[in-house]
Amino acid sequence: MDKSRIIIAIDGYSSTGKSSFAKLIARKLGYIYVDTGAIYRAVTYFAYNCGFIDRKCRIKEEWLEKAISNIQITFRQTGPDGRSETYLNGTNVEKQIRTMEVSNKVSHISALPFVRRYVDDILRKLGESRGVVMDGRDIGTAVFPDAELKLFMTASAQVRAERRLKELHEKGGNESFEEVLKNIEERDHIDTTRKTAPLTQAPDAILLDNSNMTIDEQLVWLDGIMKERFSFGLFGEEIA
Ligand code: DC
């Protein structure tokens, strides 16, 4: 096995900046980046469009279970910076899956065991050839318990809501801080208390609380850890 191609599992709470961090790490290492939340979001968008989940989050589980094997979720790279967009049955749904409408439902859909099995299959295939950074909620605990490097990211709910609000407003949204904070707290609760693969720190995951850290500080922190553990770090040119 190529020792420089490992699996990096990044789990943690909503809006802790997992995907921005994971994307940068993947770019520095020349790895594939997989946004596992986007897959759950695409399934949720599909379910909502088909009428399998309503505004009150009541789910027609049998219908969704029958339909799920026909859903095709793929990613297409949008540029050299490692960014990719999500496609559902060939249609770009990147914008649609980031709306509050989907955010309010996704934890309910992702708590269903058959949905998790469907997504896990996709993820394990994507990780087969290693050299991958995946961010999610159960990557280090359930999907790749043998990942060579596991991080668990957290930050205060206030800080996370502020970051999420900024992101949504930059995309033209007009959500209120209270609405976003409520959504984050609700998702924390559902994600940590669901029966199947709840969000929890794997015993061998390294905790990263980035409430007061910039992304550059986080990269330097991780580079130090990687150089200690592996024969390489994030900044190739610095390796002796
Ligand atoms: O990372 P995100 O906020 O886009 O994820 C959306 C939801 O998907 C999140 O509330 C929980 C769920 N999820 C999960 O259960 N397991 C994962 N590996 C990734 C996301």
Side-chain angles (χ1 to χ4, degrees):
M1 194 183 81
D2 181 352
K3 287 213 170 77
S4 67
R5 296 190 70 74
I6 61 171
I7 292 186
I8 303 181
I10 305 185
D11 291 307
Y13 290 92
S14 300
S15 302
T16 43
K18 296 186 300 292
S19 61
S20 310
F21 193 39
K23 246 179 252 170
L24 269 175
I25 298 167
R27 203 164 83 207
K28 296 227 175 281
L29 295 172
Y31 282 16
I32 294 172
Y33 160 65
V34 182
D35 175 355
T36 70
I39 304 179
Y40 285 104
R41 285 173 180 273
V43 174
T44 304
Y45 179 68
F46 171 85
Y48 188 52
N49 267 352
C50 294
F52 299 160
I53 180 167
D54 65 17
R55 281 178 188 273
K56 291 192 173 157
C57 296
R58 287 172 302 209
I59 305 171
K60 289 181 179 151
E61 289 187 31
E62 275 176 35
W63 294 54
L64 179 59
E65 189 164 7
K66 272 191 197 131
I68 202 163
S69 54
N70 296 320
I71 309 178
Q72 247 211 339
I73 297 166
T74 49
F75 295 103
R76 283 186 213 160
Q77 196 120 353
T78 49
D81 63 350
R83 280 193 343 160
S84 67
E85 298 196 329
T86 313
Y87 284 72
L88 172 66
N89 295 333
T91 303
N92 187 332
V93 291
E94 188 57 37
K95 242 192 180 150
Q96 294 87 325
I97 64 170
R98 308 288 168 191
T99 58
M100 286 296 282
E101 197 78 70
V102 169
S103 295
N104 286 334
K105 295 175 183 62
V106 61
S107 285
H108 297 272
I109 293 288
S110 62
L112 299 171
F114 68 86
V115 171
R116 302 206 72 82
R117 283 196 297 275
Y118 164 79
V119 176
D120 285 357
D121 279 351
I122 299 178
L123 300 181
R124 294 205 177 103
K125 277 186 199 121
L126 288 168
E128 253 166 16
S129 47
R130 311 186 87 80
V132 68
V133 187
M134 276 192 194
D135 82 286
R137 303 294 188 290
D138 63 339
I139 309 305
T141 50
V143 184
F144 289 111
D146 62 342
E148 288 85 352
L149 180 60
K150 300 180 188 176
L151 304 180
F152 189 83
M153 290 178 64
T154 188
S156 74
Q158 291 285 114
V159 166
R160 289 187 282 139
E162 277 161 21
R163 288 181 188 155
R164 186 87 190 103
L165 189 70
K166 190 166 167 258
E167 244 174 55
L168 288 165
H169 285 189
E170 275 168 8
K171 286 180 187 158
N174 63 349
E175 298 77 4
S176 69
F177 177 78
E178 288 69 30
E179 190 183 353
V180 173
L181 180 64
K182 185 165 167 264
N183 174 253
I184 282 182
E185 288 175 341
E186 266 172 20
R187 281 164 63 195
D188 284 357
H189 177 71
I190 300 173
D191 294 347
T192 51
T193 56
R194 70 175 173 231
K195 284 208 180 79
T196 312
L199 169 65
T200 178
Q201 183 178 351
D204 52 346
I206 308 167
L207 183 70
L208 169 58
D209 183 335
N210 65 11
S211 302
N212 297 306
M213 281 171 95
T214 64
I215 193 132
D216 285 341
E217 286 167 342
Q218 294 172 64
L219 285 173
V220 171
W221 170 84
L222 183 62
D223 179 57
I225 286 173
M226 289 184 66
K227 281 180 180 153
E228 247 176 53
R229 281 207 182 182
F230 309 106
S231 57
F232 59 98
L234 288 178
F235 307 107
E237 67 277 12
E238 288 177 17
I239 297 175

